[in-house]
Amino acid sequence: MNYPAWETGFFSGGSLIALISVLHVYIAHFAVGGGMFIWLTDRKALLEGCAALDDYLREHNWFFLLLTMVFGGVSGVGIWFIIGLVSPAATSSLIHTFVFAWGVEWTFFLGEIIALLIYHYYFDTMKRHLRLKVAFLYFVFAWMSLLVVNGILSYMLTPGAWPESRAFWDGFLNPGFIPSTVFRSFVAFMFAGLFGFVTAVRMEEGEFRTRMMRYCTKWLLYPMTGLVLSGAWYLYAVPGEIRYTAFIINPEMDPYVRTVVIASILIFAGGLALSLRSGRAAQKAITAVLVLIGLSWMGGFEYVREISRKPYIIGGYMYSTSILVQDEERLNREGVLPNARWAKVRALTPDNIMEAGRELYRIQCYPCHTAGGVRNDIIPRTRSFTYLGMLSQLTGQGTVKPYMPRFVGTRAEKEALAAYIVSGLNGGALDARPEPTAVRPLADAAPPPFDPKNDDYVLLAWNDLGMHCVSDGDPWFVILPPANTLEALLIKRGSTPEVVTENVTISYAVEPGFERPSRHTRFWEFAGATFGKKPAPDTGLTGKGLAGDFTHNAETMSFVADGIPVLPYTDAGTFNPYPLFTVKAKDPSSGKVLATTRTVAPVSTEMGCRNCHGGPWRWKNISGIADDTARDILRKHDRARGTDLLARAEKGKPRLCQTCHADPALKAPGDGKRLSLSASVHGLHANYIPVKGADACGLCHPTHRTGATRCARGVHSSAGITCVNCHGGMGDHAISLLRAEEGKRSAASLTKHLRPEAVRAKTDIKPRKPWINEPDCLTCHVDFNKPAADPSAFNVWTAEAAELYRNRTDNTGSLRCVACHNSPHAEYPARNPYNARRDNIQPLQYGKMPYTIGANRSCEVCHREKKEDEVHHENMLRMVRRAVRQ
Amino acid sequence: MDALSLVPAADAIPAPWWLFEALLITALSAHFILINIVVGGSILAIGSRIASKRPRTVTFEVPGITSALALGINFGVAPLLFAQVLYGHLLYTSSILMAVWWILVIPVLIIAYYGAYVHTGGGGETLRAAALAVSVIALVYIAFIFVNNMTLMLHPRSWTAYFENRSGTILNLSDPTLIPRYIHFMVASVAVAGLYGALRAHRSGQAESGSAVRKGLRIFAFATIIQIAGGLWFLLSLPAETMRLFLGGNSLYTLVLALGVILTVASISFALRGRVIPATASLAAIVVLMVINRANLRSAFLGEFFRPADLRLEPQYGVMALFLLAVVGMACAVRRMIAMLPVSGEGRDGR
């Protein structure tokens, strides 16, 4: 922003720095180690009186001078040149902070040159002992040069106290300085041996050459122990947080670490090979290869060091984008463009969004990325994003994955940059997500008849959760299989009604058009891979089909039919997430039907991953996870977490997410190491989603008010209560889950950048386990009363599953709350988006009103008479205040 | 667009600005002398090959050209460092605008350097002449790029070209001072190299050196006469108000220029009269005066929008003292090393 950006096109600026720097550093380390090599070899020649060694030295010196002084020296200046071109702000900071250190280094550079020139040109005419002194001085000057440069270089990664104190010595004598200097010294000695081969191999065949080769091997291999030990010292001098980000979180690091390890092994092997007696041709070939391997070792190591420093160019002070840490807050307020001297667009208007986006790209993305060039090409990394996805990426950038800097700028600038990357760079469209979907109304479903005078039974049936989501993307992964749960309760009517638990068969059957879900999904094809089970098509994992019997469960005090594999796809090709089930209670001995009712088994495949991850809807452009979407999800998971999910899926072996991630919903224990599925997904995405309130929930869950499902349809939603009132906003929701996982590896990094909304501090949010510790109705409905205005049930959790609304009973202990009030998210009087009355069949059947069973003192539904006592729960004998238009 | 708004903010400096300016001028003077020997010497060497009546007769060769280049590069690093401290915000900008040309200086310099080694090596005459030619072309390129950068950095009004060309291929060709300035530097290098040749021949004390001394002095004198004309051209190419500063408008600027011109005339006189040492002494003084002159010109151009004196000071006196100590220390070490040289002073390859 302070400086213009040089557009290098195909090669990133970073690649150019790498090219010049790695070559320089490779040769410069040789220059330092070679200094000691020359000095000790000259001493050896003197002590042994060996003329052949003198000859060797003469040739070696020439090679040494030509390589290190010419190429090594000028390439060092080249580093200066290129960093000033690619990162002028950082270069300026280094120069102005450390000019006197550079000045000291310059004096050593001068001393090196003069010493080497003297040593080389007066080799044969100088007095021997003086010549040795000059050789020794050369080494001292060369090593001091390394020392000084390394002080500055190491400060960039481990600045120590410098970002706060800005004191020269805090920066120079930083925590990484001594360990890295020792490490590089060992590198230098090893390279002295490596390059020593180049001249040794040119010697005439014979005993002397073998001796020289073995001599060089010793130089190459002896320092290796020191290298490894000082390498470990260096590694642990780097703060743990930096190491974690660099080596665990950053996916870029692996190939370079591998390069260093493999190159080390090859160098070791090569050195040993060269110590063997063999022909000159073979040894020349091995030497040539070894020199190249040495270069890749150096390159690998320097890349490891450079990558470790991200997102900074100067740790804790300046980001790779040249934006200062201390300016971040101000720039977020004022905007980057008004502060960017060299931006063509200084003020963002509706007319210059793409232009502004381009300038922001130049400032914040260009320093590390190319667009269609070599290294870090941003096009494949962003091609799959929708506009919302790109906005999310920019929102979460630098939080969970701190190796990138955070986006800096106003919200409008972020939108401009997202628009530029999606449309300008990738040619994508800037559609709104989620796309509004029309809901095609369904015809009324008439409630079955009920004769209040003569009928003996009231049959109640309901779905347990209010919505069952199914991740319809089976070739790639499964989050939730088709597995709906219905429960039923049969009440024998009377003054004291009886809950019937035996001698009755209760059965269920789905409405026509839904009987063959296997026609519409590939779940059954992959159930073996994902669940390790192979149920017959249209049969669920529990063995239950689309028609069958309930089983009585004494614990839940109800009849349960779970694992019903109903899907929202009809044979007619329409989407209906509220299929009706007819429930019949029969006397098993006579076959007589005691009672009939109908209930909705809500099911949706509207998982909105594509809102950010791109791709179409899988099924008739309405719902389901498409192949492209799923691939993008797995690709990102693999890249972020080092998994191989995409490759496995492509081989026909998709996984169930809960194989690794614990989830009480599927009774999955997970692998013990990773976060629960809910904590992972919410924790990660809360850092990214740029939308607040219930709309954030609706991006993924089938609750969005313009989506195909709109499953928040109970009395609460009619009253204007949203997900947030009970569950908290996305950030708070994520924090509550992550707090229960404290101590696990990624919990800290996911929580770090989340900010609490409903409470003051993150530690004020009570930890909770998903599906177990949930909002409690009585938090707002104190004593079952009407709640206060703007109620919030957030942060007060049920202690255990038995306390959940859907599991609780009334004060008699025999009636489940949900039986009369209906499933969570669809509490009576519900308002189903496909047909207002569809979720209210039982109240309409038994009470001719859409309200809670027995509402408005209609006790006679079950009791055959009015009652005076509030037996079921306090304050139940009230008239319904909220009339809902049906 | 207000070009001055493009000038980046400058960072604080760790010692008073005049210290850096003094170091810059000192180091740059040393750099110019050394590089002039190399560049001018190479030009003369190739010129003499072209002009020689008898084929394959070399009539002018600069001794120790590779070592001079080594030291010249080293003494180029120092002024580059100090220039970045005081003028970095300008220099980085102009460098970026001409990034491709600027970064090519590095491989081109390596080529020039190796060319010099091939030229002074043991190969055949054709190879050595070809290597010399390559070196000369490379050095001439480098000088041209430097002159472009050092002038572009002073003229933010030219920086708006960036908005039409962000690929780093801008040059400062529209600046009327560019060519006269460049020629002035190139002819200077020939003059310095000629005198250096004369000095080396004079100090070798050999019997046959007399003609070499005379030749060197003649080249120096002739080139310096051309320099006076070139200098005048340079002066006239300046914008009117800037030129006036050097012709009485600013007493310091005028004094330095006048002294330089007077010494120039004196040096020509010494040279034509065969007085090597006085010619050398006056040339050394001329170089320093001209570097100060150059700095004054820089100040004149920058005057309206930047003065180093305005830079914020965040002192590092302790480290500064360490640096000065290191300079003195290294000077002593270098003296000690030179004292170790064999008495005859003649090393391998005539260094």
Side-chain angles (χ1 to χ4, degrees), chain B residues 153-173:
Chain B
M153 71 182 257
L154 304 175
H155 295 101
R157 294 219 168 69
S158 307
W159 297 355
T160 51
Y162 172 75
F163 295 100
E164 312 307 315
N165 176 0
R166 303 193 187 209
S167 311
T169 52
I170 295 170
L171 285 172
N172 199 24
L173 300 174

Side-chain angles (χ1 to χ4, degrees), chain A residues 435-501:
Chain A
E435 294 140 319
T437 312
V439 163
R440 290 168 68 222
L442 295 167
D444 273 356
F450 174 69
D451 183 348
K453 279 206 2 236
N454 299 316
D455 283 346
D456 287 329
Y457 293 94
V458 163
L459 178 60
L460 300 173
W462 64 89
N463 161 270
D464 62 341
L465 294 174
M467 173 50 67
H468 264 258
C469 298
V470 175
S471 59
D472 180 22
D474 298 281
W476 306 100
F477 57 84
V478 173
I479 304 177
L480 290 169
N484 219 304
T485 299
L486 292 177
E487 294 188 80
L489 204 64
L490 182 65
I491 299 170
K492 188 152 201 283
R493 300 172 74 210
S495 183
T496 305
E498 183 200 317
V499 174
V500 179
T501 58

